[in-house]
Amino acid sequence: MDPLRFNLLINLTRILIQPQKWNKKIPTELVFAIFFLLVLATSLTACSPASLMSNWPGSAVKDRIVYLAYQAHVYAIQAENGTELWRFPKEADNKLSFYAPPALSPDGSQLIAGGFNHILYSLNPENGNEQWRFEESKYPYIAGPLITKDSIFAPTSDHLLYALDRQGNKRWEFKTGAPIWATPLYDPDCECIYIACLDHILYALRTRDGALLWKTDRLEGAIASSPVLSEDGILYFGTFGKLFHAFDLRSKGDIWTYTASNWIWGSPLLIEDLVIFSDLSGNVIALDAKNGAERWKVTTNAAITAQPIAVQNIIYIGNEAGDLYAIDLQGNLIWQQPKKFDGKILTPALTADEVILIPLVAKDNLMVAIKQDGGQVWAYQPVK
Amino acid sequence: MWDLLIINPMVNTLLYIYSVIGNFGIAIIIFTILIRLITHPLTVSQMKSAQAMQEMQKSKEWQELQKKYKDDKQKLSQEQMRLYQEMGINPFGSCLPLLIQFPIIIGLYQAIIRALATTPYQLLDLSKHLYSFINAAEIIPLNNKFLWMDLSQPERLPVFGVGIPVLAIVVVITTYLQQKLMTPPPAQPGDQTAQMTQMMNLYMPLFIGYISYTLASGLALYFVTSNVVGILQYAAMGKLNWKNLLSFRSQPSAQKNVGKKK
């Protein structure tokens, strides 16, 4: 408990039990009982779900506009200079916060954002006006939705995946065994989606009607991020059981696995013949995508949960300590020292016109834009 | 330090019990019983201390002091302290267990919320506090359903479309019962102390009930278990005050008792 709150409690207790008011000696047990109640009240309130709901930002970028969902708002920010274009809602509502990254429809006419208040919003990307809302979920949206030409697939922590049409009408739902924290992955070849779930299972569903096409056995750990699909039909994903899987869609089995030293949280990156991913020990690992042989490994100083991104064959990945690393495809560090940010980097960076956009878990700057040499272009701090 | 000494052991014990039992609600119940057993010596010491204090306040010497120094509060306090020392009573003896309970309740609540880890940020935080003997990959995510409850959310039992906070009501009832059954009759009925005790007996259950109504139901489950175990502990020691349970206006009956003794 911080000293300020402690002093406040002491003073409140004194006021409540001041002798001149009660005119009698108050037993020590009562003094402590009142003190106890006050401390309990403030401590529990301070650690109630509302205050523990520290989250991390989710972002998307299209046509030089960044959409950042974090805390009480979804922000639209100009990628070249960090100017805020709009925010949703206009006034903060203490019942509404955003955990899930927003998603833009392929035609750019809809921005879908799921709230922690169990509501899925469709916004106009041009001005942030609400188009419709879907209120059927009883639990928060943690994962970002997937939007195809005619459908929206919105996973919830209600153990459900909702399939909606683009007007927000429910088409079907699919129940899993645990919350879904990963955005579904669309595969046009089978007209199906792959859902990685915390119940340790990867599902394949037909997009038309939600029919289960197949699912994996219960794996060694929860899957918290989306798989990545290669052109030759291999799904790459990692689990909290420290295993990284290369899963062949034809045989419905692993062609190889790799054991990391800690939980694997973020999605991998496929680039050239490499698959690159990270773990909570702070390792960035590059494997040969064909056979899983380790090509290189870079160890950073803190947990990594974000997916790496590549800009002109340079890998950028940040960690919980707020350090951003630039690594070439041979595993060499581009910068002698990582670029240090005042905040945690827990979600993937984005790129727009060769500018790298870093979403931060921080009090002040929610997003920082840098050039490829690490020089800062702008920092976005929302006006309160 | 708080994490190291309180939260981490609690979280890991809870998770260990969960890994064996497979049900987080039952894990909370077992964990609460464990905590009550560990703090049993403190409960006994609190009870003895409170009893000694009651006896002392009923003594002639104490009563005389009250009369003699009724206009000199400072002197009265000094004399009372002297009496405490003479009779070998620590005036804080019955407060210490209360203070010990306070970090346990807060720690337990934080441990429950941390273990349930309903958001990625919380899960990332949890991953750093796990002991090596916990097979976290296997048990995460925890099944937070218990009976009709989601232990990470405030509890409501839907009855004809209306959410009834059953557990919060049970918390209020058991807290009230516990207080009534475990509070000894006031040494000087009708005085400010007795009135305040009566007030606390009423407000404490309401306050704890409000906490249970608004916060995660895992905490409410802890309160109910703790109350029931507390009552059983006192019952096992033969110290339950059944008369107190039926006396809604304790003043007159208590006064009668004192009168008889005199």
Side-chain angles (χ1 to χ4, degrees):
Chain A
M1 186 184 306
D2 60 88
L4 191 69
R5 186 177 287 167
F6 186 78
N7 284 335
L8 180 72
L9 285 170
I10 293 284
N11 289 330
L12 275 171
T13 313
R14 276 187 188 144
I15 292 165
L16 277 172
I17 58 170
Q18 51 187 307
Q20 61 272 38
K21 189 174 172 185
W22 293 94
N23 204 27
K24 291 264 178 176
K25 180 173 164 49
I26 306 298
T28 329
E29 299 100 304
L30 280 174
V31 176
F32 275 95
I34 293 167
F35 180 75
F36 169 78
L37 283 180
L38 290 169
V39 171
L40 190 65
T42 47
S43 303
L44 290 182
T45 312
C47 56
S48 68
S51 62
L52 282 175
M53 279 175 195
S54 309
N55 63 344
W56 55 37
S59 45
V61 63
K62 189 167 175 139
D63 297 335
R64 297 179 187 177
I65 296 175
V66 193
Y67 301 94
L68 176 73
Y70 189 36
Q71 293 173 343
H73 297 282
V74 177
Y75 303 94
I77 305 159
Q78 217 147 23
E80 57 230 42
N81 55 20
T83 307
E84 181 182 316
L85 300 173
W86 53 259
R87 65 172 68 182
F88 173 85
K90 288 190 170 51
E91 300 295 329
D93 173 356
N94 61 9
K95 288 181 184 163
L96 175 57
S97 59
F98 291 93
Y99 281 55
L104 270 160
S105 60
D107 61 4
S109 66
Q110 274 179 299
L111 180 75
I112 306 290
F116 205 77
N117 60 352
H118 319 170
I119 297 175
L120 189 74
Y121 297 91
S122 174
L123 308 177
N124 183 338
E126 284 179 9
N127 51 27
N129 289 341
E130 186 179 323
Q131 295 167 326
W132 51 257
R133 58 171 68 186
F134 175 73
E135 298 183 271
E136 198 166 309
S137 176
K138 292 181 177 61
Y139 278 77
Y141 290 91
I142 301 279
L146 164 74
I147 312 177
T148 60
K149 194 179 161 194
D150 58 357
S151 296
I152 296 161
F153 301 96
T156 74
S157 37
D158 199 6
H159 305 193
L160 285 172
L161 173 86
Y162 292 104
L164 315 176
D165 65 21
R166 295 279 300 273
Q167 286 71 49
N169 305 303
K170 190 172 90 175
R171 290 171 50 207
W172 50 261
E173 65 181 40
F174 179 80
K175 189 153 183 68
T176 61
I180 311 168
W181 285 3
T183 301
L185 172 70
Y186 179 61
D187 183 352
D189 289 346
C190 61
E191 292 193 354
C192 65
I193 51 172
Y194 304 112
I195 301 156
C197 185
L198 292 190
D199 65 5
H200 304 204
I201 294 172
L202 184 80
Y203 300 86
L205 306 181
R206 194 160 58 201
T207 51
R208 178 162 43 89
D209 54 7
L212 176 67
L213 298 177
W214 55 263
K215 64 176 183 178
T216 62
D217 293 334
R218 190 175 191 272
L219 300 173
E220 65 289 334
I223 318 167
S225 61
S226 312
V228 167
L229 180 61
S230 71
E231 284 177 356
D232 51 353
I234 309 293
L235 276 178
Y236 296 94
F237 62 93
T239 74
F240 288 173
K242 304 177 189 175
L243 269 193
F244 188 80
H245 296 255
F247 183 88
D248 188 352
L249 288 175
R250 284 156 297 206
S251 64
K252 308 286 186 296
D254 290 328
I255 51 169
W256 54 260
T257 57
Y258 174 91
T259 305
S261 55
N262 206 333
W263 295 7
I264 301 168
W265 195 306
S267 294
L269 170 72
L270 270 172
I271 181 164
E272 296 191 349
D273 59 344
L274 295 178
V275 57
I276 301 170
F277 64 97
S278 57
D279 66 23
L280 289 195
S281 292
N283 297 309
V284 184
I285 301 150
L287 306 179
D288 186 316
K290 292 277 179 230
N291 55 26
E294 186 179 305
R295 292 280 193 85
W296 51 261
K297 183 154 106 175
V298 171
T299 301
T300 76
N301 61 344
I304 304 178
T305 55
Q307 181 184 25
I309 64 158
V311 182
Q312 295 177 346
N313 280 351
I314 302 294
I315 311 301
Y316 295 89
I317 190 160
N319 67 15
E320 200 187 3
D323 292 340
L324 183 76
Y325 289 78
I327 309 165
D328 70 17
L329 292 184
Q330 285 70 50
N332 304 307
L333 294 174
I334 301 296
W335 304 326
Q336 279 194 333
Q337 294 294 324
K339 170 88 178 157
K340 185 94 188 151
F341 291 91
D342 189 15
K344 297 176 181 180
I345 306 172
L346 297 173
T347 47
L350 306 164
T351 54
D353 287 345
E354 296 180 7
V355 171
I356 299 156
L357 307 157
I358 319 289
L360 294 173
V361 176
K363 278 183 187 168
D364 302 325
N365 296 328
L366 301 189
M367 182 168 269
V368 174
I370 59 167
K371 290 182 275 188
Q372 283 187 60
D373 62 5
Q376 184 170 311
V377 181
W378 51 261
Y380 171 67
Q381 184 176 357
V383 179
K384 300 281 178 194
Chain B
M1 192 58 84
W2 171 254
D3 274 2
L4 190 71
L5 297 179
I6 307 282
I7 305 294
N8 292 355
M10 281 190 169
V11 167
N12 285 280
T13 310
L14 256 174
L15 289 178
Y16 180 74
I17 298 170
Y18 175 85
S19 69
V20 175
I21 304 290
N23 183 307
F24 200 62
I26 294 174
I28 290 175
I29 292 171
I30 292 174
F31 184 64
T32 309
I33 295 170
L34 208 64
I35 293 278
R36 291 297 306 214
L37 288 177
I38 291 168
T39 56
H40 183 72
L42 288 168
T43 311
V44 174
S45 131
Q46 180 190 22
M47 192 194 68
K48 283 184 178 166
S49 209
Q51 211 168 13
M53 196 92 85
Q54 289 282 321
E55 292 300 323
M56 192 194 69
Q57 287 173 358
K58 283 178 190 169
S59 70
K60 262 188 181 175
E61 207 177 345
W62 181 273
Q63 307 285 352
E64 278 165 10
L65 283 179
Q66 298 279 351
K67 281 180 195 166
K68 192 173 173 184
Y69 299 110
K70 64 178 180 185
D71 298 323
D72 187 352
K73 299 287 173 202
Q74 202 179 349
K75 185 69 182 166
L76 178 63
S77 297
Q78 282 171 2
E79 288 300 313
Q80 283 174 339
M81 283 311 289
R82 181 187 56 78
L83 204 58
Y84 279 133
Q85 280 172 356
E86 276 178 16
M87 298 183 81
I89 294 171
N90 179 2
F92 296 97
S94 55
C95 306
L96 184 67
L98 192 70
L99 286 178
I100 297 277
Q101 269 195 47
F102 149 63
I104 290 173
I105 293 179
I106 292 168
L108 188 98
Y109 180 66
Q110 289 186 342
I112 290 170
I113 293 296
R114 191 169 281 182
L116 284 170
T118 53
T119 68
Y121 200 93
Q122 288 172 2
L123 187 56
L124 179 62
D125 183 52
L126 174 68
S127 71
K128 292 178 211 148
H129 296 93
L130 297 171
Y131 296 158
S132 56
F133 64 83
I134 302 288
N135 186 2
E138 178 58 32
I139 61 174
I140 284 172
L142 303 190
N143 178 8
N144 52 11
K145 300 284 191 295
F146 179 61
L147 301 176
W148 66 91
M149 292 169 264
D150 177 342
L151 296 167
S152 65
Q153 303 287 324
E155 170 267 353
R156 304 287 182 271
L157 179 66
V159 179
F160 301 116
V162 181
I164 311 285
V166 177
L167 204 58
I169 294 168
V170 176
V171 167
V172 173
I173 293 168
T174 54
T175 310
Y176 180 78
L177 283 177
Q178 181 182 240
Q179 298 223 138
K180 287 294 252 184
L181 289 169
M182 287 161 53
T183 311
Q188 295 167 313
D191 75 350
Q192 200 79 56
T193 308
Q195 284 175 19
M196 280 187 71
T197 308
Q198 215 172 356
M199 232 168 61
M200 289 295 290
N201 280 348
L202 183 67
Y203 290 136
M204 183 77 123
L206 291 177
F207 172 76
I208 301 285
Y210 177 73
I211 287 176
S212 307
Y213 178 79
T214 48
L215 302 185
S217 54
L219 185 69
L221 189 62
Y222 161 78
F223 282 135
V224 172
T225 312
S226 180
N227 289 343
V228 171
V229 175
I231 292 170
L232 291 176
Q233 275 179 314
Y234 266 61
M237 291 185 285
K239 299 292 179 189
L240 285 188
N241 183 13
W242 292 102
K243 282 181 188 169
N244 212 13
L245 185 62
L246 302 170
S247 63
F248 292 99
R249 292 174 63 84
S250 63
Q251 228 169 293
S253 61
Q255 267 172 343
K256 264 184 213 170
N257 290 342
V258 174
K260 272 179 196 171
K261 279 190 178 176
K262 279 180 181 176

